[in-house]
């Protein structure tokens, strides 16, 4: 058995691997770059070795540095996580030479599957259904156009060495093929140092469904069911789930059998993932195989009850699989949300900064519902420009899919992150999307549901009532508290009106009257003197001042509303709505109408960079006159 494991990775996946290693009594060694000196994975591991500058190409990607770190610390095995060196056959070979166990498949399997053209050929030989297309490298745009014509439009041009959604182009006509061929080729060259591209049929409105496989060094391969990852933005996964709401037992069996056949064809001996796209009629086609632990592996762990890292460590140390295919059962439903440091309201531009506040929702297993967080950051940490912007994976598990979605919705509502922008508001909106809730999805889902990008929702309907009630109740609690201050000057008790006018941004006012001293409290909204019908809302909670999340029930329904104090009110976050709310007495509201509005400063003479980046070129110099629309600089 492995005694000491070096984790050649960073962030959430390094932490996740360390956790299992610790549970199994295996010593752990972290490696870290200069930018990660204070990262969580460094503190979690028993030992840590510095491996160079922030840039991955000078640290996490340098095989020699990783191997000497292992030798220096006496680690007998290396887990590569995902990304970085995880699918690098040369690394696996170098470890073999150095007498260190590579926690992953044999180098031949990595090589065979690392290339999309080669792996498709292998799949076809193993009788696995592949996307109709041309199984060869395409050299010229003319050849590309001819082949695309044979396949039939639309087609997809892909980089053979591709990954992470890079180097892919869809073409609906011969002009688009010629153009897509050139851009796919150049992107492939710059991203992967390999400009080989090929063409296959573009399957319209497909679903992305992948099969988790597990093999050992004794020729056993089983599959652990599927994950559906159709919710993607620009071919990159955003939400994943297990099982797929689309598959029936028969299709699952057939896909599982093909995935196992393909794995056996390359003597696959670790955890791996066989990706398929599935059309509307449940025809499925092999896309590629990822020869590593996948980002979204937790959903499989929750529905199978297995620890995939543990399985990988066992088979890497030569043990035979302890489970047979018939022992694998899928129970319940699991959903994963990828939390990224990016601004959804500004077309998902990257965002970086300090984690001024990082308060995940309550993580627990209760009544068959589990909330799990895989992360590599903590409050006070920093999100830098150097690595992947994914900061955490929030996973929920429940007996049914809809319960898992509802739990995810609440957990996202309660997840407090301050210091930079992130995609939680976008994910929170997704959890309330009817098509998603119904499982009526495809890889085009985000493009179809958000054709003009994501605009943050404004308070409306039920959400507006909840927000107005919570804001008015917090004001009410604060008023009551002030009235209880001791040592106040003696006098007749003063009766104040309990009517408040709550402004939910943009001049939207709602009249709210909260009654009662303790929870549960009742609020009356609208009615008298307003153009809204009267309605009452009952609120129950244990919230008290200083708590970042107001958790409780509204008319019996569980809610989590984030609270940040601002002048004259609170800034609330709920269901993806983020709004500063001010609470006024009627008299104040009357005055408000005649108050001057603070004008925004004129920033037209300032250039503010919309995202963290590198200035590639500067087109102007100090003192120069410029006009609107002129290029000032280029930022990457
Ligand atoms: P990568 O290595 O970048 O993950 P994949 O081949 O797995 O590349 O494709 C990524 C995504 O692109 C898939 O999940 C799917 O949404 C889409 N895609 C890939 N090939 C096709 C195709 N032939 N037709 C339709 N969509 C495709
Ligand atoms: P509460 O504890 O009820 O919130 P406040 O001191 O905030 O009491 O007063 C509530 C409102 O009552 C104020 O916003 C103001 O409009 C009005 N108010 C309070 N004290 C006076 C006062 N001395 N003269 C006139 N209006 C007052
Ligand atoms: Mg893929």
């Amino acid at each position: 058995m492995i005694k000491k494991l070096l984790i050649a990775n960073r962030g959430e996946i390094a932490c996740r691997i360390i956790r299992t290693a610790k549970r199994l009594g295996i010593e752990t060694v972290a490696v870290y770059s200069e930018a990660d000196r204070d990262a969580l994975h460094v503190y979690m591991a028993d030992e840590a070795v510095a491996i160079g500058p922030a840039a991955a190409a000078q640290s996490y990607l340098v095989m020699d540095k990783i191997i000497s770190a292992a030798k220096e610390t006496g680690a007998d095995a290396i887990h590569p996580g995902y990304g970085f060196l995880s699918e690098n056959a040369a690394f696996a070979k170098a470890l073999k030479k150095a007498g260190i166990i590579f926690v992953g498949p044999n180098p031949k399997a990595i090589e065979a599957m690392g290339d999309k053209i080669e792996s498709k050929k292998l799949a076809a030989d193993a009788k696995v259904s592949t996307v109709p297309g041309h199984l060869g490298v395409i050299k010229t745009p003319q050849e590309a156009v001819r082949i695309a014509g044979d396949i039939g439009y639309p087609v997809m041009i892909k980089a053979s060495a591709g990954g992470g959604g890079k180097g892919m182009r869809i073409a609906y006509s011969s002009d688009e093929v010629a153009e897509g061929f050139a851009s796919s080729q150049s992107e492939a060259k710059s991203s992967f140092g390999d400009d080989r591209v090929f063409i296959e049929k573009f399957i319209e409105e497909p679903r992305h469904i992948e099969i988790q496989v597990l093999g050992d060094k004794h020729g056993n391969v089983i599959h652990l069911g599927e994950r559906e990852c159709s919710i993607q933005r620009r071919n990159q996964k955003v939400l994943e789930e297990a099982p797929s709401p689309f598959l029936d037992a028969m299709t699952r069996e057939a896909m599982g059998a093909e995935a196992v056949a393909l794995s056996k064809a390359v003597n696959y001996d670790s955890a791996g993932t066989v990706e398929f796209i599935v059309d509307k009629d449940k025809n499925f086609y092999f896309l590629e195989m990822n020869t590593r632990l996948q980002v979204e592996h937790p959903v499989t762990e929750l529905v199978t009850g297995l620890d995939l890292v543990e399985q990988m460590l066992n088979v890497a140390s030569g043990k035979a699989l302890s489970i047979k295919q018939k022992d694998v059962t899928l129970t319940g439903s699991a959903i994963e949300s990828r939390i990224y440091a990016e601004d959804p309201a500004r077309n998902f531009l990257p965002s970086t900064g300090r984690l001024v506040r990082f308060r995940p929702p309550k993580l627990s297993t209760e009544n068959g519902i589990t909330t799990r967080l895989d992360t590599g950051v903590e409050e006070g940490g920093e999100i830098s420009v150097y690595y992947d912007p994914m900061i955490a994976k929030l996973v929920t598990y429940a007996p049914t899919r809809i319960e898992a979605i509802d739990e995810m919705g609440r957990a996202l509502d309660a997840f407090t992150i301050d210091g930079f922008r992130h995609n939680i508001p976008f994910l929170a909106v997704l959890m309330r999307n009817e098509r998603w809730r119904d499982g009526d999805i495809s890889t085009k889902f985000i493009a179809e549901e958000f054709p003009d990008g994501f605009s943050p929702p404004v308070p409306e309907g039920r959400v507006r009532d909840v927000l107005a009630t919570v804001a008015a109740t917090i004001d009410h609690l604060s008023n009551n508290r002030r009235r209880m201050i001791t040592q106040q000057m003696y006098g007749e008790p003063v009766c104040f009106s309990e009517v408040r006018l709550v402004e939910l941004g943009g001049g939207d006012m709602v009249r709210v009257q909260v009654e009662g001293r303790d929870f549960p409290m009742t609020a009356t909204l609208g009615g008298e003197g307003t153009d809204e019908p009267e309605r009452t809302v009952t609120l129950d909670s244990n919230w008290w001042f200083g708590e970042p999340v107001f958790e409780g029930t509204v008319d019996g329904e569980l809610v989590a509303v984030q609270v940040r104090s601002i002048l004259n009110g609170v800034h609330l976050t709920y269901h993806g709505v983020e709004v500063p709310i001010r609470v006024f007495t009627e008299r104040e509201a009357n005055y408000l109408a005649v108050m001057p509005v603070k004008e925004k400063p004129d920033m037209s003479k300032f250039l503010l960079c919309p995202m963290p980046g590198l200035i590639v070129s500067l087109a102007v110099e100090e003192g120069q006159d410029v006009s609107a629309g002129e290029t000032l600089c280029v930022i990457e």
Side-chain angles (χ1 to χ4, degrees), residues 61 140 157 190 241 438 477 509 592:
L61 284 169
T140 63
I157 304 155
S190 67
E241 60 182 314
D438 290 345
L477 286 171
M509 284 273 193
L592 187 69

Side-chain angles (χ1 to χ4, degrees), residues 73-125:
T73 54
D76 51 355
I78 294 184
H79 196 306
Y82 54 70
F84 298 133
L85 296 170
S86 62
E87 291 179 282
N88 190 316
F91 182 58
K93 278 185 200 155
L95 290 192
K96 201 167 204 172
K97 227 171 117 192
I100 300 169
I101 298 172
F102 175 70
V103 185
N106 64 77
K108 276 199 184 123
I110 302 178
E111 242 157 31
M113 290 300 161
D115 190 80
K116 288 191 185 359
I117 295 176
E118 293 311 314
S119 68
K120 277 186 76 165
K121 284 183 181 160
L122 254 160
D125 290 346

Side-chain angles (χ1 to χ4, degrees), residues 420-435:
F420 53 83
R421 300 301 306 172
H422 49 76
N423 66 337
I424 291 179
F426 176 63
L427 296 167
V429 166
L430 282 180
M431 290 309 138
R432 276 99 200 168
N433 179 289
E434 283 308 319
R435 267 187 67 194

Side-chain angles (χ1 to χ4, degrees), residues 269-290:
D269 51 357
S270 185
T273 297
V274 181
E275 297 190 333
F276 292 93
I277 44 177
V278 183
D279 71 14
K280 288 190 209 95
D281 307 315
K282 295 204 176 109
N283 297 310
F284 56 89
Y285 308 99
F286 168 73
L287 264 189
E288 62 162 347
M289 181 168 186
N290 296 321

Side-chain angles (χ1 to χ4, degrees), residues 475-476 478-484 494-498 500 583-589 591:
D475 177 71
H476 181 77
S478 142
N479 293 341
N480 285 346
R481 186 167 69 155
R482 263 183 292 130
R483 290 178 195 131
M484 297 296 289
V494 185
C495 274
F496 292 114
S497 159
E498 304 225 286
R500 290 293 182 272
V583 182
F584 302 108
T585 60
E586 284 176 293
R587 185 195 296 247
E588 287 166 341
Y591 288 146

Side-chain angles (χ1 to χ4, degrees), residues 26 46 90 126 185 196 211 220 239 324 353 366 373 403 414 416 498 535 542 569 606 616:
I26 299 172
D46 299 316
Q185 203 175 37
R196 288 171 308 130
I211 303 284
N220 304 305
L239 297 177
K324 302 238 160 1
E366 261 170 47
L373 183 76
E403 288 169 293
T416 308
E498 304 225 286
R535 55 229 186 255
N542 291 316
F606 290 80
V616 179

Side-chain angles (χ1 to χ4, degrees), residues 116 163-165 208 210 235 237 275 287-288 290 292 294:
K116 288 191 185 359
H208 173 117
E210 57 188 33
N235 299 319
K237 298 161 186 169
E275 297 190 333
L287 264 189
E288 62 162 347
N290 296 321
R292 54 169 158 86
Q294 197 99 327

Side-chain angles (χ1 to χ4, degrees), residues 139-157:
K139 298 255 158 49
T140 63
Q142 292 76 16
E143 193 186 351
V145 169
R146 184 175 53 73
I147 289 168
D150 291 347
I151 297 170
Y153 290 98
V155 296
M156 196 162 204
I157 304 155

